[in-house]
């Protein structure tokens, strides 16, 4: 099997062009890196750079240096909730399964 290779810098530029930062509602739900269901409740683990109180990334301007996904990568990986402005109009988008436990 071959691995798809691409230039990250080019992917960032294309993603920024297609999905401007202004669409982001700063909810932080795409910053969830793990979700565990325990005793009928969901425990969420956020990225270490996410400030839960302010709902903002502490390294947002340099986020790609820390391995954050572009919006396009996030869509392909299925990390956004269905009501996120970046995906809410995509017919075939499926949000991560753990979001149904958060409602």
């Amino acid at each position: 099997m071959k691995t798809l290779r691409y230039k990250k810098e080019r992917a960032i530029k294309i993603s920024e062009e297609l999905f401007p930062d202004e669409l982001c509602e700063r909810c932080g739900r795409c910053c969830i890196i793990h979700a565990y269901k325990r005793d009928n409740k969901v425990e969420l683990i956020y990225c270490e750079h996410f400030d839960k109180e302010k709902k903002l990334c502490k390294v947002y301007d340099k986020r790609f240096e820390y391995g954050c996904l572009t919006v396009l990568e996030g869509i392909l990986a299925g990390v956004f909730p269905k009501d996120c402005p970046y995906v809410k109009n995509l017919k075939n988008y499926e949000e991560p399964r753990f979001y149904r436990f958060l409602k």
Side-chain angles (χ1 to χ4, degrees), residues 43-99:
E43 180 182 340
L44 303 175
I45 308 296
Y46 287 86
C47 168
E48 64 183 299
H49 303 292
F50 183 70
D51 184 326
K52 287 187 247 179
E53 291 177 17
K54 294 180 182 177
K55 291 189 175 183
L56 294 172
C57 175
K58 297 178 220 170
V59 296
Y60 191 80
D61 292 334
K62 296 181 181 184
R63 66 192 180 278
F64 301 121
E65 294 174 23
Y66 292 91
C68 292
L69 301 175
T70 66
V71 174
L72 190 53
E73 291 169 323
I75 290 169
L76 294 173
V79 301
F80 301 109
K82 277 200 270 190
D83 61 344
C84 173
Y86 291 117
V87 298
K88 68 181 177 185
N89 295 322
L90 298 178
K91 293 177 188 175
N92 296 315
Y93 181 78
E94 291 184 33
E95 69 182 357
R97 291 179 58 206
F98 70 84
Y99 281 116

